[in-house]
Amino acid sequence: MSLQFEVRVSESKELSAQGIEHATHALSAGDIAGAEQAYRAATRAGLLDPASWSNLAALGVALGDAEGACRHAQRALQLDARSSDAWVNLGVASWHAGRRRDAAQAMDHALKLSPGLGAAALNYSRMLRAVSEDARAARVLADALRHNPGAWRLHLADAEVARVLMQHSRVRNSVLQALRLKLEEPDLAQHLAQPGASGLRPSSGKDVFSALQAACDRLEALGVTYHLMAGTLLAIVKDGELFPHDKDVDLALPDMDEQTRLRVRAFFEADAQFRMFPAPPVGSGPIRVIGVIHEASGVGIDLILTKRGADGSVQIGMGWPDHVEAVLRPYTVGNLEWKGRTWPVPVPTEQYLEDIYDTDWREQLRVDAGVRYDRCYSDTMVTNPSRTVESLPRAINLGLLRLMQALDAREWSKSVAYCAQILHRESLPEVQAVLKRLQAAGHEGLRFDG
């Protein structure tokens, strides 16, 4: 599993450490060869300051020299065994070198030396989650927050692990606190004044179409009933083409029993064209989605298991960990001719799309909470008008987490859109404050190619 870890860099006053700084600048400028040359020179510079060796370990991690980084961090610890920065860098290097137990022990030691150290707590929690130790990860974060309650990244990480543990009240409390603290960042105004990223997946309509065809071919070969749904259906009906920024394929599998579900999963699992998402944890509730990745394109395929009620209504949901549900009006399944193939689709199709995307589903721009935004940023987890009352708070939690991720990635248009969608559902002062700051900086929820 490839994870993003944080290394620690501290000030070193010795003159011979300047080579590390030069290598770091070269790496930031994209000069890999120059960075590697400066890195090798720094290892021969006769460093004496433990901070220099720790920084060299961080550089080694960035350049992919995990074993060298381990040696540099160990040298730092020989000079100063209480350097929490060196323990953090040793932990990251050890993980990349394949020594996971050593990595976790190093992070734990860093936290014992510096309780609440953000990099150590975040890294340790990610390591624990990578081996399905979510409850332990939650305890690590809770302890770190007791010592460092002003770190918004710790609150966000706490919300993310609480979501996996289905502790929905904790999710809400932690993500709202992360939002409050994010707004207090000293350099936020400077960041907001800069252009943002688009927040959209690079255009790959051809890749999505190949994934769609491959998935439907396999379902038909297996003799399983399905139909197009959600964004895949919307794009075809609305534009006659898949959305260029789509990141996945949406297919519904109606009224499937457990035996058939297992047969479908096993069928895709045995096919080298596909890779399966891990199954939900035991005891996490009914399975509502079979998650698949089309290997050739990297496009995700969501096979949504739907259930029909006694009155003909259709329930769709996303299962663990959010258990968000929606109830759609009765429909039958008909056919749609598109790109030389007959595709099964819900009928009446327009009614179906209204139930998921509201009556303005044909429009590219949408207005929620008085804010205009591009529908490419619409998240049906939040906006779906057929969402059940019971699951709406959990859907809003998910929207809040995605808002935080968009803000952290400086995806301003997406952030505005999430604010509008959340406020349309629930008036949250924290979200109103975020929207006010975004609008004051001149950002709108309109798509651009960045």
Side-chain angles (χ1 to χ4, degrees):
M1 178 179 292
S2 177
L3 298 176
Q4 293 294 317
F5 295 116
E6 297 185 14
V7 293
R8 294 280 294 175
V9 177
S10 52
E11 183 179 1
S12 175
K13 297 180 180 179
E14 64 178 327
L15 189 62
S16 54
Q18 289 182 345
I20 303 174
E21 186 176 347
H22 293 156
T24 303
H25 288 319
L27 185 61
S28 298
D31 180 9
I32 306 298
E36 289 177 340
Q37 182 178 3
Y39 169 64
R40 289 191 296 271
T43 63
R44 302 188 296 269
L47 303 171
L48 299 174
D49 188 341
S52 300
W53 284 105
S54 179
N55 293 346
L56 193 61
L59 181 60
V61 168
L63 289 170
D65 181 17
E67 293 294 353
C70 285
R71 292 193 297 271
H72 305 326
Q74 288 164 346
R75 178 58 179 151
L77 291 168
Q78 289 172 355
L79 297 169
D80 180 7
R82 296 189 60 80
S83 170
S84 53
D85 286 355
W87 281 108
V88 168
N89 294 344
L90 176 61
V92 175
S94 297
W95 183 277
H96 287 303
R99 295 186 286 276
R100 293 188 171 190
R101 183 182 295 275
D102 292 346
Q105 289 175 344
M107 290 304 165
D108 183 57
H109 199 79
L111 285 170
K112 285 183 170 64
L113 291 169
S114 300
L117 181 62
L122 290 170
N123 290 342
Y124 195 15
S125 67
R126 288 166 185 157
M127 290 174 181
L128 290 168
R129 292 192 63 187
V131 294
S132 302
E133 292 278 1
D134 296 307
R136 283 185 63 195
R139 291 195 294 271
V140 166
L141 291 167
D143 184 66
L145 282 166
R146 281 192 289 271
H147 293 91
N148 189 5
W152 71 263
R153 291 187 185 277
L154 289 177
H155 285 283
L156 179 58
D158 186 69
E160 290 169 341
V161 74
R163 175 185 171 230
V164 173
L165 294 170
M166 297 187 291
Q167 298 173 356
H168 305 298
S169 295
R170 180 173 172 179
V171 174
R172 178 66 64 96
N173 292 335
S174 292
V175 71
L176 288 179
Q177 183 62 9
L179 268 177
R180 295 184 198 104
L181 293 168
K182 178 72 174 173
L183 283 181
E184 296 173 5
E185 275 196 318
D187 55 354
L188 178 61
Q190 180 181 349
H191 292 163
L192 287 171
Q194 299 171 356
S198 74
L200 297 174
R201 184 182 188 272
S203 179
S204 60
K206 183 178 179 180
D207 288 343
V208 178
F209 182 64
S210 66
L212 174 63
Q213 282 191 305
C216 293
D217 286 345
R218 305 319 291 151
L219 290 171
E220 290 175 10
L222 191 56
V224 169
T225 301
Y226 73 94
H227 66 72
L228 306 184
M229 69 171 295
T232 301
L233 177 65
L234 175 67
I236 294 170
V237 174
K238 178 175 172 289
D239 295 343
E241 294 289 344
L242 295 170
F243 294 137
H245 300 288
D246 257 353
K247 64 182 184 299
D248 56 25
V249 168
D250 304 302
L251 299 172
L253 307 182
D255 298 313
M256 181 171 290
D257 58 31
E258 180 65 6
Q259 183 178 1
T260 306
R261 182 189 71 78
L262 292 173
R263 188 162 60 94
V264 170
R265 182 176 178 87
F267 190 70
F268 276 91
E269 210 162 22
D271 192 325
Q273 291 187 71
F274 302 96
R275 174 164 43 95
M276 308 300 297
F277 282 104
V282 175
S284 59
I287 294 174
R288 306 300 301 275
V289 181
I290 302 172
V292 183
I293 296 175
H294 182 235
E295 287 282 20
S297 64
V299 171
I301 300 163
D302 288 334
L303 305 176
I304 312 295
L305 282 62
T306 66
K307 294 293 181 184
R308 192 172 293 270
D311 61 353
S313 62
V314 177
Q315 185 181 52
I316 60 173
M318 294 305 293
W320 175 85
D322 306 293
H323 294 287
V324 293
E325 307 286 343
V327 178
L328 314 182
R329 288 174 288 179
Y331 63 82
T332 60
V333 177
N335 293 322
L336 173 69
E337 299 297 325
W338 179 66
K339 287 189 177 293
R341 179 170 179 160
T342 301
W343 306 85
V345 298
V347 175
T349 305
E350 293 191 0
Q351 172 191 291
Y352 179 90
L353 292 172
E354 283 183 6
D355 284 353
I356 295 180
Y357 295 101
D358 220 334
T359 55
D360 64 344
W361 62 267
R362 299 174 184 82
E363 304 298 326
Q364 187 59 34
L365 298 181
R366 180 177 167 90
V367 177
D368 279 326
V371 178
R372 185 180 62 159
Y373 63 91
D374 196 300
R375 192 178 286 277
C376 69
Y377 295 123
S378 180
D379 190 331
T380 55
M381 284 291 181
V382 181
T383 61
N384 188 326
S386 304
R387 182 73 60 225
T388 61
V389 173
E390 296 80 9
S391 68
L392 181 57
R394 299 190 292 276
I396 293 172
N397 283 353
L398 188 54
L400 289 166
L401 286 168
R402 291 174 176 175
L403 168 60
M404 278 298 306
Q405 292 159 0
L407 287 170
D408 191 29
R410 303 183 189 180
E411 296 165 353
W412 308 133
S413 295
K414 182 187 281 190
S415 297
V416 169
Y418 268 115
C419 287
Q421 293 167 71
I422 292 167
L423 291 173
H424 177 68
R425 289 299 204 170
E426 185 175 346
S427 180
L428 294 170
E430 295 85 356
V431 179
Q432 291 171 339
V434 171
L435 179 60
K436 185 176 179 181
R437 290 290 295 274
L438 288 164
Q439 290 177 324
H443 299 297
E444 299 177 301
L446 302 181
R447 180 173 65 179
F448 68 96
D449 295 319

